[in-house]
Amino acid sequence: MTFSFTEGHSDPTVQPVPASVVRQVDAADTTLSNPRRAVISLGSNLGNRLETLQGAIDALEDTPGVRIKAVSPVYETEPWGVEPGSQPSYFNAVVVLKTTLPPSSLLERAHAVEEAFHRVREERWGARTIDVDIVAYADVVSDDPVLTLPHPRAHERAFVLVPWHDVDPEAQLPGHGPVAVLLDDITRDGVEPRKDLELRLPE
C-alpha cells in the first residue's frame, strides 16, 4: 500500500499517514481474502414483520466487510419465554454470511440494525420490531458475557435451528454438533413454515 502526497497541497486536512497506520491497513487488507462464516438469526413480531426482516437483511448486506450468502425460508413462530397469546407471533429467518469483521464489530452492526428499526429493550422476552442475534461465528467458542459464542440458547431453539438447517443441512453448531442431530432432540411445535412469504437474497 503506497501513499503519495503533492508538495504544497492546499488541503489542510491532508496529513502524512504514520507508518504504523499504513502497516495496520495493509494487515487488514490481507484478511479480505480470508472471510469468516457467520450465522445470524432474525425475528420480528411488531409492525410489518416481513418488510422489517428484509430491511435488516439489506442493511447487513450494505455493511462493509459483510456479504450475505444464503437466506432461509420464513417461519411463523410462537413467542419464546412468555405466556401463550400475550404477544403477536414472530416471523423468523436465518441468514448465512461471510465477513471480514471480527465478532465484536459484527455485534455492533447487529445492534445498529436493531436501533435503525426502533428495537426497544424494556423487558426480557418483550415484543420487538427486530431481533438480530449472532448464532455462530466460524468455529469460535467463547463465554465472553458481551458476546457468548455460539448463542447460549441456539441449541434448544427450533426457530433458529429449523431455518438454519433449511439453508445448510450439514451445518454444525460449535460445541454442540450437527444441527440435524440437535433438531432430533427438540420439538418443532409452534414453528410453522410460511411458504406464501419469501425473503430476497440481496443482489
Side-chain angles (χ1 to χ4, degrees):
M1 183 173 186
T2 303
F3 292 88
S4 61
F5 302 95
T6 302
E7 188 172 347
H9 200 291
S10 60
D11 185 349
T13 66
V14 175
Q15 300 293 332
V17 179
S20 61
V21 174
V22 174
R23 286 194 296 270
Q24 290 175 4
V25 172
D26 285 342
D29 284 346
T30 64
T31 68
L32 296 177
S33 62
N34 185 31
R36 312 300 292 276
R37 185 180 180 88
V39 179
I40 289 183
S41 173
L42 304 173
S44 173
N45 74 334
L46 293 178
N48 188 325
R49 296 167 293 174
L50 187 68
E51 182 177 286
T52 299
L53 291 184
Q54 186 64 60
I57 291 169
D58 293 342
L60 288 169
E61 173 69 15
D62 286 342
T63 305
V66 171
R67 288 294 174 266
I68 305 293
K69 307 304 292 185
V71 178
S72 78
V74 179
Y75 283 82
E76 187 162 12
T77 69
E78 294 300 318
W80 175 274
V82 298
E83 288 295 322
S86 64
Q87 289 185 19
S89 61
Y90 276 85
F91 283 175
N92 286 100
V94 161
V95 297
V96 177
L97 56 85
K98 293 289 187 70
T99 183
T100 58
L101 299 179
S104 59
S105 296
L106 188 60
L107 178 64
E108 289 176 1
R109 181 55 174 164
H111 287 168
V113 172
E114 290 179 338
E115 291 174 8
F117 287 93
H118 310 294
R119 161 74 185 273
V120 176
R121 298 175 183 272
E122 293 182 344
E123 59 178 309
R124 192 180 190 193
W125 316 124
R128 61 210 60 184
T129 54
I130 187 67
D131 198 14
V132 183
D133 282 335
I134 301 175
V135 176
Y137 182 97
D139 57 357
V140 174
V141 176
S142 168
D143 60 2
D144 185 333
V146 176
L147 176 58
T148 302
L149 291 170
H151 191 286
R153 292 175 293 278
H155 65 284
E156 59 189 20
R157 291 181 167 179
F159 65 81
V160 172
L161 299 180
V162 171
W164 186 7
H165 183 262
D166 283 344
V167 292
D168 187 1
E170 305 300 319
Q172 299 264 343
L173 182 63
H176 294 277
V179 169
V181 174
L182 295 174
L183 279 170
D184 291 337
D185 295 332
I186 61 175
T187 179
R188 301 189 189 202
D189 292 346
V191 179
E192 301 296 332
R194 287 296 305 265
K195 296 183 178 179
D196 57 318
L197 303 176
E198 184 176 14
L199 294 167
R200 303 184 313 275
L201 185 68
E203 298 180 355

